[in-house]
């Protein structure tokens, strides 16, 4: 496959996954605002990436849900708003439309058509749930059409690699924020603030309900981290994402009859996730491990770009 085609497939999947991840963060903030009696906007500050705070503060006075939602969904000052991400995904999809099934192409076009009108107007709290459900449904339909109609060839694998690189990057980014501090405390006393932070963290990764099924609704910091880092059943855990990336890269090695450095990086990372590391929240190695994973994920992206001549 030409590097230009592989690049468009890879980034098409990344942009769609990123848009969905942003929507999930906003949805977590919306749930907190509706269900909590508190008006603590510090918790909503978590929804904005740290490197975007300066841009945000130039236009908005505080981190209210309304301001955060508008900034993340359709604010022109934010180059990674959901509207732009969906537009980029559609543009990339058009370039490689001959490599996609009709169902996958239609899912991209319908995603843009159904959300464009909603995203062109100012976002208000009363129409926010409809907008978020529409965006999340976009990702679900796309993945379903890819999984249900695409041949298991290099096209399929580049799409999957893009999806899981972006997904693991989102998970490790959330774990690598100031919120890691609430997961490293030795105290067993859970404050209301801690509880709210943990809930937002889990909801932003669509992990709230599944974690409760396993834990019996008991929020234990060690269990939360083990779930988001090591649990192979959790579709957004670091272990699950890296395992999928490794599988896709293995396929590309076989079909192209070549050995790639990106595969070696993914394999080394997978060993670190299954090598008997002490899975204790009080282990000081945890923060270093998460930081190292983040760096490896960035290196993996650049190595994939080099190995497969992505533009």
């Amino acid at each position: 496959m030409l590097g230009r085609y592989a690049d468009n497939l890879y980034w098409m999947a990344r942009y769609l996954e990123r848009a969905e991840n942003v929507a999930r963060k906003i949805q977590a903030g919306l749930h907190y605002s509706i269900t909590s009696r508190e008006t603590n906007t510090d918790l909503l500050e978590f929804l904005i990436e740290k490197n975007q705070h300066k841009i945000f503060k130039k236009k908005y006075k505080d981190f209210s849900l309304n301001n955060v939602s508008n900034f993340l969904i359709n604010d022109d000052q934010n180059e990674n708003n959901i509207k732009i991400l969906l537009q980029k995904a559609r543009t990339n999809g058009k370039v490689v439309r001959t490599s996609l099934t009709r169902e996958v192409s239609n899912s991209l076009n319908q995603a843009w058509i159904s959300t464009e009108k909603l995203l062109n107007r100012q976002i208000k709290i009363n129409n926010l749930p409809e907008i978020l459900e529409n965006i999340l449904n976009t990702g679900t339909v796309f993945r379903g059409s890819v999984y249900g109609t695409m041949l298991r060839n290099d096209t399929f694998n580049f799409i999957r690699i893009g999806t899981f690189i972006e997904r693991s990057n989102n998970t490790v980014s959330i774990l690598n924020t100031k919120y890691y501090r609430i997961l490293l405390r030795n105290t067993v006393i859970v404050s209301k603030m801690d509880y709210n932070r943990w809930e937002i963290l889990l909801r932003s990764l669509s992990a709230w309900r599944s974690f409760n099924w396993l834990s019996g609704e008991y929020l234990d910091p060690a269990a939360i981290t083990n779930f988001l880092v090591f649990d192979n059943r959790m579709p957004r855990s670091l272990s699950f994402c890296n395992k999928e990336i490794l599988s896709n890269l293995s396929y590309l090695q076989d079909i192209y009859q070549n050995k790639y450095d990106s595969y070696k990086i993914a394999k080394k990372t997978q060993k670190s996730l299954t090598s008997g590391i002490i899975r204790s929240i009080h282990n000081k190695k945890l923060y270093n491990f998460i930081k190292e994973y983040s760096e490896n994920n960035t290196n993996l992206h650049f190595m994939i770009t080099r190995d497969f001549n992505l533009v």
Side-chain angles (χ1 to χ4, degrees):
M1 177 180 288
L2 292 174
R4 179 170 62 91
Y5 268 68
D7 183 70
N8 279 280
L9 291 166
Y10 176 79
W11 280 106
M12 173 188 69
R14 287 201 66 165
Y15 288 139
L16 279 172
E17 181 68 25
R18 191 177 300 176
E20 185 177 352
N21 290 337
V22 174
R24 291 185 189 282
K25 288 181 182 180
I26 301 171
Q27 196 175 57
L30 175 64
H31 183 273
Y32 165 74
S33 298
I34 292 174
T35 58
S36 177
R37 296 179 181 178
E38 302 173 13
T39 57
N40 193 326
T41 59
D42 288 343
L43 293 178
L44 299 179
E45 183 179 344
F46 157 71
L47 304 179
I48 306 287
E49 295 290 339
K50 192 173 182 180
N51 58 6
Q52 294 179 314
H53 280 192
K54 191 174 181 180
I55 300 172
F56 179 88
K57 290 178 179 178
K58 284 183 178 179
K59 185 171 182 178
Y60 301 100
K61 293 181 179 179
D62 57 57
F63 288 93
S64 67
L65 180 61
N66 192 62
N67 290 343
V68 168
S69 299
N70 276 283
F71 180 75
L72 292 177
I73 293 175
N74 62 0
D75 194 314
D76 292 336
Q77 299 300 312
N78 177 15
E79 296 181 353
N80 269 315
N81 72 54
I82 290 176
K83 181 180 177 182
I84 290 176
L85 292 172
L86 292 177
Q87 193 172 33
K88 286 181 177 179
R90 189 194 186 202
T91 300
N92 280 277
K94 282 184 175 181
V95 175
V96 293
R97 60 184 177 275
T98 56
S99 300
L100 305 174
T101 62
R102 183 178 62 180
E103 289 83 356
V104 175
S105 293
N106 286 344
S107 73
L108 286 170
N109 291 329
Q110 290 171 6
W112 176 249
I113 292 170
S114 64
T115 56
E116 185 181 18
K117 289 183 179 180
L118 292 173
L119 302 183
N120 276 337
R121 63 195 188 199
Q122 186 178 13
I123 308 301
K124 296 182 180 179
I125 300 300
N126 59 352
N127 64 4
L128 187 55
E130 177 191 1
I131 293 172
L132 295 176
E133 284 299 325
N134 196 299
I135 295 166
L136 293 175
N137 186 58
T138 292
T140 302
V141 172
F142 172 78
R143 284 193 304 275
S145 60
V146 167
Y147 196 80
T149 67
M150 293 284 294
L151 290 173
R152 275 21 178 202
N153 55 10
D154 46 359
T155 298
F156 176 85
N157 281 276
F158 278 116
I159 291 174
R160 297 282 286 177
I161 289 171
T163 296
F164 286 105
I165 284 282
E166 187 64 38
R167 185 175 295 181
S168 62
N169 193 57
N170 178 62
T171 299
V172 78
S173 175
I174 289 175
L175 290 172
N176 208 20
T177 63
K178 63 180 181 179
Y179 278 73
Y180 80 87
R181 295 188 183 92
I182 67 172
L183 296 174
L184 288 171
R185 294 179 183 174
N186 292 313
T187 178
V188 296
I189 300 175
V190 180
S191 69
K192 180 64 176 176
M193 181 68 73
D194 283 346
Y195 186 94
N196 288 335
R197 284 171 173 165
W198 292 344
E199 182 175 354
I200 289 177
L201 184 150
L202 287 166
R203 286 188 183 278
S204 65
L205 293 170
S206 293
W208 175 252
R209 181 167 293 184
S210 54
F211 179 80
N212 284 334
W213 278 338
L214 295 175
S215 68
E217 299 186 0
Y218 175 70
L219 288 183
D220 172 68
I224 291 173
T225 305
N226 289 337
F227 184 62
L228 297 178
V229 174
F230 301 107
D231 199 315
N232 286 325
R233 298 167 295 178
M234 166 57 182
R236 285 178 169 76
S237 75
L238 300 185
S239 181
F240 185 98
C241 291
N242 194 76
K243 184 176 66 174
E244 291 298 316
I245 294 168
L246 187 62
S247 174
N248 297 132
L249 288 173
S250 177
Y251 175 90
L252 293 176
Q253 279 199 153
D254 293 340
I255 195 173
Y256 293 148
Q257 297 182 356
N258 204 345
K259 298 293 183 181
Y260 296 110
D261 290 333
S262 53
Y263 176 83
K264 294 177 183 177
I265 293 175
K267 190 171 183 178
K268 183 179 179 181
T269 300
Q270 196 63 25
K271 284 184 178 179
S272 71
L273 288 162
T274 57
S275 63
I277 185 173
I278 301 174
R279 302 180 183 185
S280 170
I281 200 62
H282 307 309
N283 183 2
K284 293 181 179 179
K285 292 181 180 179
L286 177 67
Y287 175 63
N288 292 331
F289 174 82
I290 292 173
K291 187 177 180 181
E292 183 180 349
Y293 185 99
S294 179
E295 293 170 353
N296 287 340
N297 210 45
T298 300
N299 292 335
L300 179 58
H301 159 70
F302 287 119
M303 197 57 66
I304 288 170
T305 300
R306 194 190 74 173
D307 285 345
F308 300 102
N309 299 314
L310 304 189
V311 180

